[in-house]
Amino acid sequence: MRAALILEHGDRNNVVVGDYPKPVADHGEVLVKVKSVSLNHLDIFVRRGIPGRKLELPHISGGDVAGIVEEVGQGVANVTPGDRVLIDPHIPGKGALGEDTTGGLAEYVKVPAGNLIPLPDNISFDEAAALPIAYGTAWRMLITQGKLQANETIVILGASGGVGNAAVLIAKLAGARIIAAAGSDSKAEKLKKLGADHVINYNKTDFSKEVWSLTGKQGADVVVDYTGKATWPQSIKATRKGGRILTCGATTGFEAVTDLRYVWVREISIIGSNGWGERDLHTLLDLVSRKKLKPVIDRVLPLDDIREAHRLIEEREFFGKIIIHP
């Protein structure tokens, strides 16, 4: 089968489209014909090499996968060939699809049958593939962990990416007042059209001062910061007394400086959120099916354009999800 192969860790020239053995579904497993794969920053991190993580090369990344059941292994009774499915990327006992195990940037992928979620006919493969990692992470962070409420003011940093777009849409569903931050005026305008009440270009202004002004010198109820080192000090300052900061990662570095004076004086809660739960994915699919939520898709590319897809993510020339069709 054809697949996007990471030959060695490093720059995007190390990703090539080539032949790879077609998987065979073992006991309890299912072979899925891949229709759509959504890329994430995680694909970039896997290609570059994650410290402390050793992968057998060549490796296939890609954790967000939707497709059609091709064949089932022995002992599988809950699905049949031809079923439309979304794959939950969390593989019990093995880690994350595409990160710890062979992923879906290929014509076929095999996964445990228990990781398949039925895909309603009124949801496209592209929409479904956009959901698990970005929208699942955002839902858990804002709703399950963050307990976001109607009329609260939320600041969303990095709002133009997959998780950021998802956070804006989910915050809108929750009835919150949204201040979205991005790195360009054009992305800020798109965020306004997406539903943000206020937008900030953080390359032009100190977003913490802008938030302070927009909130009448009170600060935000909730600040979403998965950027980390580059923005953390400002996020602390932008949070009101009794407010909370939500984080699910740190794309600019883990060594973020926390001025503890603000934390104790303002009684700020810092809440971590890691990934998603299967229930979160079912909830998201239901929202999409009922037209309450529409994932933002930047563009759809063929597998042969995988390097261009990596470039777009690395150089932040995208808004929403980038979908690959193997």
Side-chain angles (χ1 to χ4, degrees):
M1 67 175 183
R2 298 177 78 244
L5 306 172
I6 299 172
L7 300 181
E8 59 182 72
H9 296 301
D11 65 33
R12 54 182 173 266
N13 290 323
N14 291 316
V15 183
V16 301
V17 176
D19 291 325
Y20 192 84
K22 181 180 176 181
V24 176
D26 296 322
H27 189 277
E29 294 181 328
V30 172
L31 184 68
V32 175
K33 181 173 178 58
V34 179
K35 302 296 287 185
S36 299
V37 184
S38 171
L39 290 189
N40 298 278
H41 272 96
L42 182 59
D43 293 280
I44 307 301
F45 298 149
V46 170
R47 190 206 71 214
R48 292 174 180 169
I50 299 175
R53 191 77 53 85
K54 185 174 178 58
L55 293 173
E56 182 178 337
L57 300 174
H59 178 73
I60 302 171
S61 70
D64 281 336
V65 182
I68 299 173
V69 174
E70 179 81 1
E71 62 182 51
V72 300
Q74 292 185 341
V76 175
N78 61 322
V79 293
T80 58
D83 287 352
R84 303 173 81 249
V85 293
L86 173 64
I87 298 175
D88 181 346
H90 176 67
I91 310 297
K94 294 184 177 180
L97 183 68
E99 180 182 359
D100 303 290
T101 69
T102 301
L105 279 167
E107 292 181 287
Y108 299 91
V109 64
K110 72 170 181 176
V111 294
N115 280 75
L116 300 185
I117 300 174
L119 183 60
D121 290 337
N122 67 338
I123 301 178
S124 72
F125 292 115
D126 290 350
E127 290 175 319
L131 293 177
I133 294 176
Y135 284 73
T137 295
W139 183 271
R140 181 173 180 79
M141 180 168 53
L142 267 63
I143 306 301
T144 308
Q145 294 289 93
K147 311 298 184 188
L148 182 65
Q149 302 296 312
N151 299 316
E152 286 191 312
T153 296
I154 181 171
V155 175
I156 301 170
L157 303 180
S160 62
V163 174
N165 278 180
V168 170
L169 293 175
I170 291 167
K172 196 72 177 177
L173 278 174
R177 177 193 182 207
I178 303 166
I179 302 173
S184 72
D185 290 339
S186 62
K187 289 180 178 179
E189 280 304 308
K190 289 179 181 178
L191 287 167
K192 195 128 189 170
K193 292 178 181 178
L194 202 61
D197 298 285
H198 301 280
V199 292
I200 299 172
N201 180 343
Y202 53 69
N203 284 323
K204 284 187 173 182
T205 184
D206 182 329
F207 75 84
S208 65
K209 292 181 179 178
E210 190 74 11
V211 169
W212 203 243
S213 174
L214 289 169
T215 58
K217 298 184 178 182
Q218 296 298 308
D221 298 287
V222 178
V223 175
V224 173
D225 186 338
Y226 49 86
T227 307
K229 185 176 181 179
T231 55
W232 193 255
Q234 289 82 14
S235 291
I236 297 285
K237 294 178 181 178
T239 308
R240 73 162 176 85
K241 183 176 177 63
R244 52 210 191 273
I245 300 175
L246 311 179
T247 183
C248 64
T251 57
T252 64
F254 306 117
E255 307 85 4
V257 176
T258 302
D259 189 330
L260 290 172
R261 294 172 299 176
Y262 287 91
V263 177
W264 82 63
V265 171
R266 295 187 185 175
E267 299 180 331
I268 293 171
S269 298
I270 298 173
I271 302 172
S273 184
N274 187 28
W276 58 91
E278 182 183 345
R279 180 180 297 180
D280 300 324
L281 300 186
H282 282 281
T283 298
L284 289 166
L285 283 171
D286 179 64
L287 289 169
V288 175
S289 180
R290 292 190 292 117
K291 309 301 181 186
K292 299 288 187 180
L293 178 68
K294 184 174 178 60
V296 180
I297 295 173
D298 180 273
R299 70 193 72 189
V300 178
L301 297 172
L303 187 65
D304 287 327
D305 287 348
I306 188 63
R307 287 185 185 174
E308 171 63 5
H310 276 236
R311 185 194 70 78
L312 290 166
I313 293 175
E314 288 183 294
E315 298 181 9
R316 300 184 182 278
E317 294 182 10
F318 69 106
F319 185 88
K321 300 297 293 179
I322 293 176
I323 304 291
I324 299 292
H325 285 178

